[in-house]
Amino acid sequence: MAVFEKRSRIRASPAVVFAFHERPDALALLTPPGDATTIISKDPGLQVGARTVLETRIGPIKQRLVAVHVAYEPGRMFADEMVDGPFARWLHTHTMEPDGEGGCWLTDHIEYALPLGWLGAVGGGWFARRTLRTMFDHRHEVTRVACEG
């Protein structure tokens, strides 16, 4: 299983950063411009059981993604698992930890596996890593601007 992690210091408390993620429009704000992703439905909140359905394009192929929240600690972390979509496995944990200076560390930790086992990893691993890096660079910058401003 592959792991991707993005960690950034945000000059805002964990509570402020968590509250940003709870906003009804947070997912739309965090989606990079030009990304071919459409939010089909999203349950309110981040609590366990909340479900999000997205539609995206991977090259010319339309793909539906369904994620369900599987962990929730108010003000500190939440996690979602992809139950249907382009990855064979996807567990995404969002954590906000105090930095000791009034701000926090925002960490997105993703454990994932591409379809087709080793063949998928060899053929698409570079694409997945590049896409995740670009997406989470954008998400962390949007979060920083929203929470520090």
Side-chain angles (χ1 to χ4, degrees), residues 11-25:
R11 290 187 325 257
S13 70
V16 167
V17 176
F18 194 88
F20 169 74
H21 284 86
E22 287 188 305
R23 290 174 46 168
D25 63 344

Side-chain angles (χ1 to χ4, degrees), residues 95-147:
T95 308
M96 298 92 194
E97 295 286 340
D99 68 358
E101 299 177 21
C104 75
W105 288 103
L106 169 63
T107 304
D108 283 286
H109 179 88
I110 302 165
E111 297 174 14
Y112 67 96
L114 296 172
L116 305 176
W118 68 269
L119 187 59
V122 169
W126 65 272
F127 178 76
R129 286 186 301 277
R130 185 186 74 190
T131 302
L132 289 170
R133 188 172 40 254
T134 300
M135 178 188 306
F136 283 94
D137 284 350
H138 173 78
R139 286 181 170 204
H140 280 228
E141 183 59 24
V142 167
T143 303
R144 181 185 331 278
V145 169
C147 295

Side-chain angles (χ1 to χ4, degrees), residues 48-127:
V48 171
R51 184 177 172 97
T52 301
V53 179
L54 307 170
E55 189 173 85
T56 193
R57 284 192 177 279
I58 301 172
I61 301 167
K62 240 184 214 184
Q63 184 78 51
R64 186 166 288 242
L65 293 84
V66 179
V68 176
H69 285 245
V70 295
Y72 177 74
E73 294 177 31
R76 186 180 128 14
M77 68 80 66
F78 62 99
D80 53 87
E81 183 172 26
M82 185 180 296
V83 296
D84 187 28
F87 290 85
R89 172 98 171 99
W90 173 278
L91 178 62
H92 178 188
T93 304
H94 317 245
T95 308
M96 298 92 194
E97 295 286 340
D99 68 358
E101 299 177 21
C104 75
W105 288 103
L106 169 63
T107 304
D108 283 286
H109 179 88
I110 302 165
E111 297 174 14
Y112 67 96
L114 296 172
L116 305 176
W118 68 269
L119 187 59
V122 169
W126 65 272
F127 178 76

